[in-house]
Amino acid sequence: MQFETIILGAGAAGMMCAIHAGRDVLVLDHAKAPGEKIRISGGGRCNFTNLHAGPANFLSQNPHFAKSALARYTQWDFLDLVGRHGIGWHEKTLGQLFCDDSAKQIVAMLLDEMAQTRATMWLQTKITSVNKTETGFRLTIENQSAQKTVDCQNLVIATGGKSIPKMGATGLAYDIARQFGHALTQTRPGLVPLTFPDGRFAGLAGVALPVRVSCNNTSFDEAMLFTHRGLSGPAILQISSYWREGDTVRINLFPNSDPYETLRSQRQQAGRKNLSTVLAQMLPSRLAEHLVDDWKLSGNLADQSDTALRTLCDRLTGWDLVPTGSEGYRTAEVTLGGIDTDGLSSKTMMSKTVPGLYFIGECVDVTGWLGGFNFQWAWSSGFAAGSSITAQG
């Protein structure tokens, strides 16, 4: 069987590419349904893009690589598509856009667009081998218990990274990249909770508060959540992409106020109050109790000199913690690193050394922040490859 273009992966990037790749497109995926990561994202409402999406919101060994694709298919282009399909949406926080109703609407929208271009999709299909031919590529696949051979001129790899293996994530994209001589950057879990030994924060599980978290010259102001295994919440997921084993994470428990002035004022008004009582009025009570015990704080406010209060506030605004690890790919939202962008065209996503071979989406060494940025990379990189294929046709 012969197709002009075969796309491996019926996720966000793969379906977007299929919509723009022109005629005679076949999309293959091992899952039972397309767009599974879209369906479960954003609590079932899909944080499908971000109003503020731009190159600065992405990590890569080459920070300039994503600029071309992001500029040529923007968040406004995707919003226009969503609007044409009558999908209601709202901004939740920090430019994050969600469906009013269901993430399934985004999947349905993409399938409808694919149907208009008459793209074919085979699900529950296993890729057995991929080989180069004189005119393109030959794939051996298993579909409906039968082995088949399919040929194509263009082959697009959109099979994602290693994150969330229970949904079927594999390293297939990396295997194919290596097979055709492409280098990989180091891969690791990204947007992932951080862990600490011996249930250090187990007693605080469920406590959440706004913080500023910093690591390696990068900071995020968002919510932090204590868990049985360590720290999570948006602020921690964000900083996890910048953290490496052995690094210190600094937490400011008062990102929007000055605790020193608050404590000095309280000392004048209620100096007889126990320090722990006052802290429990400024922080979640369980966290205040934990810090009092951990830092061995005691005495009334009146007993605290300005110097003692300043030292305490330095700790409250600069709480240094060293995580032992992360929860890994099991809960990571994305994979950091991937196929080295040096081997790809930033305009078309095509291999510089193997004509007709494209890599898009999460498998490439471009990783977005939390908040709809990774979906925007899927839309933008999928459009870049698809429109390039159409232009060649």
Side-chain angles (χ1 to χ4, degrees):
M1 298 183 70
Q2 174 78 37
F3 292 87
E4 186 167 316
T5 300
I6 293 179
I7 300 169
L8 304 188
M15 288 195 284
M16 179 57 83
C17 182
I19 291 165
H20 294 281
R23 61 185 175 83
D24 203 21
V25 174
L26 171 65
V27 181
L28 303 176
D29 201 293
H30 61 198
K32 292 180 180 179
E36 283 293 85
K37 228 175 171 181
I38 299 173
R39 183 181 60 80
I40 68 163
S41 69
R45 290 196 173 182
C46 188
N47 180 191
F48 55 79
T49 192
N50 194 293
L51 290 175
H52 310 305
N57 305 114
F58 294 85
L59 293 83
S60 174
Q61 278 196 359
N62 178 1
H64 302 291
F65 181 82
K67 288 180 177 178
S68 176
L70 290 171
R72 289 165 59 238
Y73 191 91
T74 70
Q75 56 269 44
W76 312 112
D77 293 314
F78 193 77
L79 269 178
D80 181 59
L81 178 62
V82 167
R84 292 204 307 272
H85 284 260
I87 299 173
W89 56 271
H90 60 278
E91 180 185 357
K92 197 169 182 180
T93 182
L94 300 172
Q96 300 167 11
L97 303 189
F98 290 78
C99 297
D100 287 344
D101 185 14
S102 170
K104 293 177 182 177
Q105 293 176 289
I106 299 295
V107 178
M109 174 190 76
L110 295 169
L111 290 174
D112 183 52
E113 290 286 322
M114 284 173 60
Q116 292 181 41
T117 64
R118 298 185 179 179
T120 303
M121 182 162 55
W122 294 349
L123 299 172
Q124 295 180 277
T125 300
K126 180 182 177 183
I127 311 302
T128 305
S129 67
V130 178
N131 292 291
K132 189 80 178 70
T133 65
E134 286 187 11
T135 55
F137 304 87
R138 171 161 293 175
L139 284 68
T140 306
I141 63 173
E142 288 181 19
N143 176 266
Q144 297 178 337
S145 302
Q147 193 166 86
K148 301 176 182 177
T149 300
V150 286
D151 292 349
C152 61
Q153 295 174 37
N154 305 296
L155 178 62
V156 183
I157 312 302
T159 53
K162 300 177 183 177
S163 54
I164 320 184
K166 71 178 180 181
M167 293 190 66
T170 69
L172 177 63
Y174 309 138
D175 294 338
I176 294 173
R178 277 189 289 260
Q179 177 186 338
F180 288 102
H182 278 268
L184 301 177
T185 66
Q186 181 188 10
T187 54
R188 56 183 289 117
L191 301 181
V192 64
L194 299 175
T195 57
F196 292 80
D198 308 320
R200 177 172 178 181
F201 298 120
L204 296 174
V207 173
L209 74 164
V211 299
R212 176 174 300 130
V213 60
S214 306
C215 184
N216 290 321
N217 301 312
T218 303
S219 298
F220 291 96
D221 285 33
E222 290 199 59
M224 180 177 76
L225 171 70
F226 290 91
T227 72
H228 288 285
R229 291 179 292 274
L231 298 175
S232 188
I236 296 299
L237 299 185
Q238 294 279 39
I239 210 66
S240 72
S241 293
Y242 295 85
W243 173 84
R244 296 294 180 269
E245 286 74 6
D247 287 347
T248 296
V249 172
R250 172 162 289 190
I251 297 166
N252 181 347
L253 297 170
F254 293 90
N256 301 311
S257 63
D258 182 356
Y260 179 66
E261 291 303 323
T262 303
L263 287 170
R264 285 190 72 202
S265 175
Q266 284 287 313
R267 186 177 62 186
Q268 287 183 320
Q269 299 170 21
R272 292 183 179 181
K273 281 189 177 181
N274 192 286
L275 184 58
S276 60
T277 302
V278 177
L279 284 178
Q281 294 170 345
M282 299 168 64
L283 292 166
S285 57
R286 273 196 287 160
L287 175 56
E289 291 172 19
H290 174 88
L291 295 176
V292 166
D293 291 341
D294 195 42
W295 295 348
K296 296 179 173 52
L297 303 176
S298 61
N300 297 333
L301 256 186
D303 302 328
Q304 313 298 320
S305 66
D306 283 357
T307 301
L309 287 183
R310 176 59 71 190
T311 300
L312 171 59
C313 291
D314 286 345
R315 298 182 81 176
L316 291 170
T317 58
W319 188 16
D320 287 340
L321 298 170
V322 182
T324 51
S326 78
E327 291 193 6
Y329 288 115
R330 181 180 64 85
T331 58
E333 295 200 16
V334 293
T335 303
L336 284 161
I339 295 156
D340 195 326
T341 59
D342 283 352
L344 305 177
S345 161
S346 62
K347 184 178 180 182
T348 66
M349 309 303 295
M350 189 172 76
S351 166
K352 292 178 179 178
T353 53
V354 185
L357 179 64
Y358 298 78
F359 295 93
I360 59 175
E362 189 184 344
C363 68
V364 178
D365 175 29
V366 175
T367 307
W369 289 1
L370 181 74
F373 298 100
N374 288 292
F375 273 126
Q376 185 57 48
W377 173 244
W379 315 137
S380 296
S381 61
F383 174 84
S387 56
S388 168
I389 290 168
T390 298
Q392 290 175 21

